[in-house]
Structures are given as C-alpha cells and as structure tokens.
Amino acid sequence: MISEENRIVFYLLAAIATLIFIYGFYRRFKLWQKGRREKIKWSDVKTNAHFFWKMVVQQKKIQIDRLYGVMHRFTSYGFVALFIGTVLVVIDYDFGVPLLRGNFYLVYKVVLDIFGVLFLAGVLIAIIIRMKKQRLRLWYSIRDNMLLWLLFIIGVGGFILEGIRIASTKVSYGIWSPIGYTLSRLFQDVSLFSVDMYVFWWFVHSIFVFVLIAVIPYTKLFHILTAPIQILMHPVKRTGTILLPYDLQTITDEALLQSPSVLGVNKISDFTNWQLLSTDACTECGRCDSVCPAYQSEKPLSPRNVVTKIRNHMHQTYEISTFISPSELQSCTTCGACVEACPVSINHIDLILGMRRGLIQRNILELEAENTLMKVEEQYNIWGKPWSERANWSRGLQVPSLDHENVSKSKEA
C-alpha cells in the first residue's frame, strides 16, 4: 500500500533524522574529549559485567521505588523489544534476509504485541505520576511531558497501523497479533481507520518516530545510550572508594609544580573524559538529592545540580567557580549516599572532591576549615590548645597519668 514515491520520502526523512542524531552524538562526544584521557581497562569491563547486569538489565536500584521500578521496566523492556523487532524487519525487508517466516514470524508477532502493551503501560504510568506530581524529587517540565506523550503516540500509532493492515488483508494468522486483531475488528466500517487512510497513518507514525530518533542526543533520553556505556566501561569506583589525585609518599615538590592540574579541578578540561560522559547519563531523577544529608538540611549543596551544571556548561572554558560556588562544594560530607542511590552510577563524590581540591589549589577555603588546618599545623590538634593543657580533661577524675618521672622509675625497676 506504499508507493515508490512515498518510500523515497520515507528513506529521505529517515536519513535526515539519522544525521541529526549522529551530529548530536558527535557534538557531545567532542565535549567529552575535552577532559583528561582515562583509558579503558578491559579488566574493569570484566569486573563491571555483573554490575551492568544488575543495574541495567535487572534495574535493581530503580526497583527500590516500586511504582517507578514497574514503570521503568515496562517502558525500557518494551522499548528494547520493539527496537529489536524493527531491526529484524529492516534485515528481512531491506537486506533481503528471510528471517520473518513460518512459526518464528508468528511468535515474533505475539511477543511484539505483548511488549508493545507493556511499553504503553509503562509510559502511561509515567504520565500519570507526572500529572499528579507524586514524586517531589522530580523536576516537572513541559519538555519531559512532551517526551512521554511522544513515546505514547508512537506506541499507539504502531498498533493502529497493525489493526488497519489486518482489517484490510484479512490474513488467517492475524489472531497471532492479539492487539492488532482486536483493533481490526473495531475498525470495521470506520472510515478514519480504513485502508484508504493507511498511508496517512503510516506517515504520521513515521514522522513521530523520526522526531524521536532526532531528539535523543538533545534530551534526557540520551541516557538510554550513555548510562549503559557509563556503567559497563567506566573505571571501577564503587561507593566508598575515593579517587586520590597523587601519592604523597612518592610525589616531589618539583613534580607538583610541573603538573599542578593533578591537584584539583578548576575547569571542565580538568575532569576526565569518563567523568564528563557520566554527567550526560544523568536522568535528573533526584534520587541523589533525596538521600543527601546536606541537601535535606537545606545546605547549598544539591548533588543533582552539581552534575547538571557540569553537563550544561561543558562547552565553556570558564572557571568552574563561575557556575558552582565554593559553598556548594564545601557542604558535601562525602557520605556516599548520592553515589549509592544513583541508578546510572554517577560518582558525585569524585566530581565534588576534584573541585574542592581545586579550591584549595587556588587558596579558596572556608574560614572555619582554614582555621582548623592552622590549629593542626601549629598545635597538632583541631582545637588549637597547647600541649601543656593536654591532660586538663582528667583533673579531678583520679586518672593515673604517665609523666616523665613515672616513666623513669618504671625503667629503673
């Protein structure tokens, strides 16, 4: 039912959408390359494989929020299954490889209908959650709502096309597409869904799909690519592990002067390329903020804001202090709750500590912290008390003291 002219238009639109997608991906890739190179170690990839299975496939962290866990699994599993189904169609039709034949084709139709329903159910749950604003940790924006409706319309459009095809062809195996078959019965004698309207619905569905493909690198949907890459390939740094900038036992003053950049992060290019990529994996879900003690106690720090600010200013060459304040960085307690909660394994602590070292390097330090360090340097304690008063706490408690005279007597004995 699709003419040769319409096919040419279809492939032309597909090429345009693909080019926009590739440009968007390349644009972000070049920004990641601004960071210091951190090579992939295949030992890390091997170590990450089990973690990847738990976080990406089983989605363990997302399941902690049960409703959102169901929503995300339905949506993501459905999306992946429908994508694989589309790829099989391309291989079969465009490349002439006979895959969709016989019993395999029948099972293929059933499976795609099931996952199509799961996909729509997941997207619908997400829409309802955002309409009711049931999660205070989420950022609610028109763009996020539009993305969800775009996904929902694409899913519905696929079933409409399937229903019209079955209604018009009346194939005996139409029952193997239960949703499409049901719709084909409902579409009987409905002019809007007649065979004459098939080309219209086919183009509408195609255009929405191409819009989705084109916008992926420019929206939070980009995480469907960056999050799996980040989890599988990023050098292993689990919660509680802090990246050290240098070894105090081996480094020399001369080396510090020659390569001061290792001391801290003062601009975007001081981060590693993997750290920059990790910020593009952020879905702005707010789980990090919801468990951060600094954020919950109304300190200036928001782990989510730190990540998104780095991501949104990645193209700039300004000092990081122009968009992230010292008070934000100094509010972090390095407890690791944000890293533990993050479903895409962004290491907020590494980002924050790197920037805090940059503050020290530029002599920007909170007054209280500076005074504490001075006291430790001068009196070897954080209170700045002289050594002569060190035992004052024990006065009147009848606590035996080990003074010089008692030590000498014990040695003579």
Side-chain angles (χ1 to χ4, degrees), residues 18-36:
T18 304
L19 288 174
I20 295 173
F21 172 89
I22 293 173
Y23 171 75
F25 186 93
Y26 177 76
R27 172 172 160 266
R28 298 310 296 179
F29 175 78
K30 291 296 292 183
L31 292 175
W32 304 334
Q33 295 301 102
K34 291 173 64 175
R36 293 183 291 108

Side-chain angles (χ1 to χ4, degrees), residues 392-408:
N392 287 357
W393 66 271
S394 62
R395 287 178 179 174
L397 298 178
Q398 298 181 347
V399 176
S401 61
L402 189 63
D403 54 28
H404 181 71
E405 183 178 349
N406 292 334
V407 171
S408 298

